[in-house]
mmCIF file of all heavy atoms in Angstrom:
data_model
loop_
_atom_site.group_PDB
_atom_site.id
_atom_site.type_symbol
_atom_site.label_atom_id
_atom_site.label_comp_id
_atom_site.label_asym_id
_atom_site.label_seq_id
_atom_site.Cartn_x
_atom_site.Cartn_y
_atom_site.Cartn_z
ATOM 1 N N THR A 172 26.932 -50.591 -3.867
ATOM 2 C CA THR A 172 27.737 -51.727 -3.415
ATOM 3 C C THR A 172 27.876 -51.759 -1.900
ATOM 4 O O THR A 172 28.162 -50.732 -1.270
ATOM 5 C CB THR A 172 29.153 -51.733 -4.049
ATOM 6 O OG1 THR A 172 29.895 -52.852 -3.510
ATOM 7 C CG2 THR A 172 29.929 -50.457 -3.778
ATOM 8 N N TRP A 173 27.648 -52.928 -1.331
ATOM 9 C CA TRP A 173 27.946 -53.180 0.082
ATOM 10 C C TRP A 173 29.461 -53.034 0.255
ATOM 11 O O TRP A 173 30.243 -53.353 -0.650
ATOM 12 C CB TRP A 173 27.500 -54.593 0.435
ATOM 13 C CG TRP A 173 27.778 -55.013 1.853
ATOM 14 C CD1 TRP A 173 26.924 -54.906 2.913
ATOM 15 C CD2 TRP A 173 28.977 -55.620 2.358
ATOM 16 N NE1 TRP A 173 27.514 -55.404 4.051
ATOM 17 C CE2 TRP A 173 28.777 -55.844 3.736
ATOM 18 C CE3 TRP A 173 30.192 -55.975 1.794
ATOM 19 C CZ2 TRP A 173 29.749 -56.426 4.554
ATOM 20 C CZ3 TRP A 173 31.180 -56.546 2.606
ATOM 21 C CH2 TRP A 173 30.949 -56.768 3.969
ATOM 22 N N ALA A 174 29.901 -52.553 1.407
ATOM 23 C CA ALA A 174 31.331 -52.483 1.733
ATOM 24 C C ALA A 174 31.481 -52.778 3.223
ATOM 25 O O ALA A 174 30.539 -52.583 3.995
ATOM 26 C CB ALA A 174 31.888 -51.103 1.386
ATOM 27 N N PRO A 175 32.661 -53.231 3.646
ATOM 28 C CA PRO A 175 32.793 -53.725 5.023
ATOM 29 C C PRO A 175 32.821 -52.623 6.075
ATOM 30 O O PRO A 175 33.233 -51.495 5.819
ATOM 31 C CB PRO A 175 34.131 -54.471 4.999
ATOM 32 C CG PRO A 175 34.888 -53.860 3.885
ATOM 33 C CD PRO A 175 33.884 -53.445 2.859
ATOM 34 N N THR A 202 25.080 -54.730 -5.492
ATOM 35 C CA THR A 202 26.019 -55.831 -5.306
ATOM 36 C C THR A 202 26.406 -55.959 -3.830
ATOM 37 O O THR A 202 26.618 -54.950 -3.154
ATOM 38 C CB THR A 202 27.267 -55.663 -6.214
ATOM 39 O OG1 THR A 202 28.106 -56.811 -6.064
ATOM 40 C CG2 THR A 202 28.059 -54.404 -5.879
ATOM 41 N N HIS A 203 26.445 -57.203 -3.369
ATOM 42 C CA HIS A 203 26.745 -57.474 -1.953
ATOM 43 C C HIS A 203 27.079 -58.952 -1.814
ATOM 44 O O HIS A 203 26.732 -59.761 -2.691
ATOM 45 C CB HIS A 203 25.544 -57.113 -1.078
ATOM 46 C CG HIS A 203 24.243 -57.725 -1.525
ATOM 47 N ND1 HIS A 203 23.964 -59.065 -1.399
ATOM 48 C CD2 HIS A 203 23.163 -57.166 -2.127
ATOM 49 C CE1 HIS A 203 22.758 -59.306 -1.891
ATOM 50 N NE2 HIS A 203 22.247 -58.180 -2.350
ATOM 51 N N PRO A 204 27.729 -59.326 -0.715
ATOM 52 C CA PRO A 204 27.957 -60.759 -0.478
ATOM 53 C C PRO A 204 26.623 -61.470 -0.225
ATOM 54 O O PRO A 204 25.630 -60.834 0.169
ATOM 55 C CB PRO A 204 28.811 -60.778 0.797
ATOM 56 C CG PRO A 204 29.338 -59.386 0.963
ATOM 57 C CD PRO A 204 28.329 -58.474 0.331
ATOM 58 N N GLU A 220 23.728 -58.457 -8.268
ATOM 59 C CA GLU A 220 24.912 -59.150 -8.788
ATOM 60 C C GLU A 220 25.857 -59.425 -7.605
ATOM 61 O O GLU A 220 26.271 -58.484 -6.922
ATOM 62 C CB GLU A 220 25.590 -58.242 -9.834
ATOM 63 C CG GLU A 220 26.960 -58.693 -10.282
ATOM 64 C CD GLU A 220 26.941 -60.089 -10.881
ATOM 65 O OE1 GLU A 220 26.328 -60.263 -11.931
ATOM 66 O OE2 GLU A 220 27.543 -61.004 -10.261
ATOM 67 N N TYR A 221 26.169 -60.686 -7.369
ATOM 68 C CA TYR A 221 26.992 -61.035 -6.205
ATOM 69 C C TYR A 221 28.501 -60.863 -6.464
ATOM 70 O O TYR A 221 29.288 -60.926 -5.530
ATOM 71 C CB TYR A 221 26.687 -62.470 -5.761
ATOM 72 C CG TYR A 221 25.271 -62.605 -5.213
ATOM 73 C CD1 TYR A 221 24.227 -63.067 -6.014
ATOM 74 C CD2 TYR A 221 24.991 -62.237 -3.904
ATOM 75 C CE1 TYR A 221 22.936 -63.163 -5.523
ATOM 76 C CE2 TYR A 221 23.705 -62.325 -3.399
ATOM 77 C CZ TYR A 221 22.675 -62.790 -4.204
ATOM 78 O OH TYR A 221 21.405 -62.875 -3.713
ATOM 79 N N ASP A 222 28.881 -60.683 -7.734
ATOM 80 C CA ASP A 222 30.291 -60.460 -8.077
ATOM 81 C C ASP A 222 30.504 -58.951 -8.201
ATOM 82 O O ASP A 222 30.034 -58.326 -9.160
ATOM 83 C CB ASP A 222 30.598 -61.177 -9.396
ATOM 84 C CG ASP A 222 32.055 -61.029 -9.810
ATOM 85 O OD1 ASP A 222 32.672 -59.992 -9.478
ATOM 86 O OD2 ASP A 222 32.572 -61.944 -10.480
ATOM 87 N N GLN A 223 31.198 -58.358 -7.223
ATOM 88 C CA GLN A 223 31.334 -56.897 -7.201
ATOM 89 C C GLN A 223 32.053 -56.384 -8.456
ATOM 90 O O GLN A 223 31.672 -55.341 -9.010
ATOM 91 C CB GLN A 223 32.090 -56.458 -5.941
ATOM 92 C CG GLN A 223 32.078 -54.951 -5.722
ATOM 93 C CD GLN A 223 33.057 -54.513 -4.652
ATOM 94 O OE1 GLN A 223 34.200 -54.997 -4.600
ATOM 95 N NE2 GLN A 223 32.629 -53.608 -3.789
ATOM 96 N N SER A 251 29.874 -60.415 7.427
ATOM 97 C CA SER A 251 31.172 -60.373 6.755
ATOM 98 C C SER A 251 31.851 -59.028 7.023
ATOM 99 O O SER A 251 31.159 -58.001 7.152
ATOM 100 C CB SER A 251 30.977 -60.537 5.240
ATOM 101 O OG SER A 251 32.174 -60.232 4.547
ATOM 102 N N ASP A 253 34.712 -58.587 4.978
ATOM 103 C CA ASP A 253 35.668 -58.909 3.915
ATOM 104 C C ASP A 253 36.153 -57.633 3.224
ATOM 105 O O ASP A 253 35.387 -56.984 2.502
ATOM 106 C CB ASP A 253 34.974 -59.845 2.911
ATOM 107 C CG ASP A 253 35.921 -60.291 1.816
ATOM 108 O OD1 ASP A 253 37.080 -59.804 1.777
ATOM 109 O OD2 ASP A 253 35.490 -61.113 0.988
ATOM 110 N N ARG A 254 37.423 -57.311 3.418
ATOM 111 C CA ARG A 254 37.941 -56.058 2.864
ATOM 112 C C ARG A 254 38.241 -56.152 1.377
ATOM 113 O O ARG A 254 38.660 -55.165 0.760
ATOM 114 C CB ARG A 254 39.141 -55.582 3.677
ATOM 115 C CG ARG A 254 38.633 -54.973 4.996
ATOM 116 C CD ARG A 254 39.706 -54.538 5.940
ATOM 117 N NE ARG A 254 40.687 -53.669 5.333
ATOM 118 C CZ ARG A 254 41.928 -53.522 5.795
ATOM 119 N NH1 ARG A 254 42.316 -54.201 6.853
ATOM 120 N NH2 ARG A 254 42.775 -52.706 5.199
ATOM 121 N N ASN A 255 37.993 -57.292 0.768
ATOM 122 C CA ASN A 255 38.034 -57.358 -0.703
ATOM 123 C C ASN A 255 36.910 -56.528 -1.315
ATOM 124 O O ASN A 255 36.917 -56.270 -2.513
ATOM 125 C CB ASN A 255 37.903 -58.806 -1.184
ATOM 126 C CG ASN A 255 39.155 -59.586 -0.896
ATOM 127 O OD1 ASN A 255 40.263 -59.085 -1.091
ATOM 128 N ND2 ASN A 255 38.994 -60.807 -0.394
ATOM 129 N N TRP A 256 35.902 -56.146 -0.482
ATOM 130 C CA TRP A 256 34.785 -55.333 -0.978
ATOM 131 C C TRP A 256 35.036 -53.831 -0.810
ATOM 132 O O TRP A 256 34.215 -53.014 -1.212
ATOM 133 C CB TRP A 256 33.482 -55.735 -0.278
ATOM 134 C CG TRP A 256 32.924 -57.037 -0.781
ATOM 135 C CD1 TRP A 256 33.373 -58.279 -0.497
ATOM 136 C CD2 TRP A 256 31.812 -57.209 -1.668
ATOM 137 N NE1 TRP A 256 32.615 -59.229 -1.147
ATOM 138 C CE2 TRP A 256 31.641 -58.585 -1.871
ATOM 139 C CE3 TRP A 256 30.933 -56.338 -2.313
ATOM 140 C CZ2 TRP A 256 30.640 -59.120 -2.691
ATOM 141 C CZ3 TRP A 256 29.927 -56.852 -3.118
ATOM 142 C CH2 TRP A 256 29.798 -58.231 -3.307
ATOM 143 N N THR A 257 36.155 -53.459 -0.195
ATOM 144 C CA THR A 257 36.504 -52.034 -0.046
ATOM 145 C C THR A 257 36.684 -51.419 -1.436
ATOM 146 O O THR A 257 37.271 -52.039 -2.331
ATOM 147 C CB THR A 257 37.810 -51.904 0.760
ATOM 148 O OG1 THR A 257 37.614 -52.500 2.047
ATOM 149 C CG2 THR A 257 38.220 -50.443 0.927
ATOM 150 N N ILE A 258 36.172 -50.199 -1.612
ATOM 151 C CA ILE A 258 36.313 -49.537 -2.915
ATOM 152 C C ILE A 258 37.696 -48.876 -2.994
ATOM 153 O O ILE A 258 38.010 -47.965 -2.224
ATOM 154 C CB ILE A 258 35.192 -48.493 -3.137
ATOM 155 C CG1 ILE A 258 33.829 -49.190 -3.152
ATOM 156 C CG2 ILE A 258 35.416 -47.747 -4.453
ATOM 157 C CD1 ILE A 258 33.645 -50.221 -4.264
ATOM 158 N N LYS A 262 39.374 -50.976 -8.045
ATOM 159 C CA LYS A 262 37.931 -51.228 -8.267
ATOM 160 C C LYS A 262 37.336 -50.127 -9.153
ATOM 161 O O LYS A 262 36.546 -50.403 -10.061
ATOM 162 C CB LYS A 262 37.181 -51.260 -6.921
ATOM 163 C CG LYS A 262 37.593 -52.382 -5.994
ATOM 164 C CD LYS A 262 36.838 -53.639 -6.283
ATOM 165 C CE LYS A 262 37.221 -54.722 -5.271
ATOM 166 N NZ LYS A 262 36.590 -56.005 -5.571
ATOM 167 N N MET A 281 38.100 -48.913 5.155
ATOM 168 C CA MET A 281 37.167 -50.025 5.345
ATOM 169 C C MET A 281 36.180 -49.973 4.168
ATOM 170 O O MET A 281 36.088 -50.911 3.393
ATOM 171 C CB MET A 281 36.386 -49.893 6.664
ATOM 172 C CG MET A 281 37.179 -50.208 7.904
ATOM 173 S SD MET A 281 37.671 -51.952 8.030
ATOM 174 C CE MET A 281 36.121 -52.801 8.254
ATOM 175 N N ILE A 282 35.454 -48.848 4.065
ATOM 176 C CA ILE A 282 34.484 -48.665 2.982
ATOM 177 C C ILE A 282 35.196 -48.273 1.694
ATOM 178 O O ILE A 282 34.905 -48.806 0.617
ATOM 179 C CB ILE A 282 33.468 -47.557 3.362
ATOM 180 C CG1 ILE A 282 32.714 -47.895 4.651
ATOM 181 C CG2 ILE A 282 32.535 -47.259 2.186
ATOM 182 C CD1 ILE A 282 31.595 -48.869 4.528
#
Side-chain angles (χ1 to χ4, degrees):
T172 178
W173 178 93
T202 184
H203 52 71
E220 169 58 66
Y221 293 97
D222 182 330
Q223 189 192 43
S251 168
D253 183 355
R254 284 176 52 204
N255 288 318
W256 285 76
T257 300
I258 298 298
K262 296 274 183 184
M281 285 293 293
I282 301 281

